[in-house]
Amino acid sequence: MSHLRIPKNWTIQRSTPFFTKENVPAALLNHHNTAEGVFGQLCVMEGTVTYFGFADSEAKEPETKVEIEAGQFATSPPQYWHRVELSDDAQFNINFWSDKDKKNEKMFNTKS
């Protein structure tokens, strides 16, 4: 699961700034998913980000766990529920990819 291939005709629609433990949005630390037709690419610059993937929005136990080290990235497919944990020194950003213009649309969804 750590590196599902983003289709080659897709392009980056939006990129986040770099996040650390001090400024990471709470939504990323809790169950959320990428929007329909959107791949997330989590790129780690420093430290470690642990990605937990879940079967659905209500699952308590992850079905996958991936540790992404500095200099590595992992992808999250459209509409897949997940959350992340950060090491104290983690710094990362997220690129959102799609096959059509979604620059003004939501890139992810959170649990209600």
Side-chain angles (χ1 to χ4, degrees):
M1 193 340 275
S2 67
H3 188 70
L4 296 176
R5 187 176 300 273
I6 297 170
K8 64 182 174 182
N9 62 318
W10 287 31
T11 57
I12 294 176
Q13 300 297 306
R14 192 178 308 150
S15 295
T16 68
F18 285 102
F19 297 127
T20 65
K21 268 200 157 178
E22 288 74 40
N23 70 349
V24 64
L28 298 180
L29 303 174
N30 297 294
H31 274 50
H32 66 283
N33 70 4
T34 44
E36 182 177 356
V38 175
F39 253 97
Q41 178 189 32
L42 193 152
C43 304
V44 179
M45 293 296 291
E46 292 182 24
T48 304
V49 176
T50 305
Y51 173 101
F52 297 91
F54 298 90
D56 57 50
S57 66
E58 301 305 316
K60 302 286 187 237
E61 294 298 319
E63 64 181 3
T64 190
K65 176 183 173 184
V66 179
E67 288 193 3
I68 312 156
E69 304 286 336
Q72 299 178 332
F73 71 90
T75 58
S76 189
Q79 298 182 293
Y80 185 67
W81 289 95
H82 58 280
R83 69 174 181 83
V84 297
E85 288 181 1
L86 283 61
S87 64
D88 289 341
D89 60 343
Q91 182 174 321
F92 73 100
N93 83 316
I94 303 168
N95 297 313
F96 295 100
W97 295 73
S98 181
D99 65 343
K100 53 187 151 208
D101 184 357
K102 291 183 176 277
K103 288 180 174 67
N104 296 317
E105 296 181 29
K106 283 179 61 174
M107 294 289 145
F108 67 94
N109 304 296
T110 57
K111 279 179 63 168
S112 305

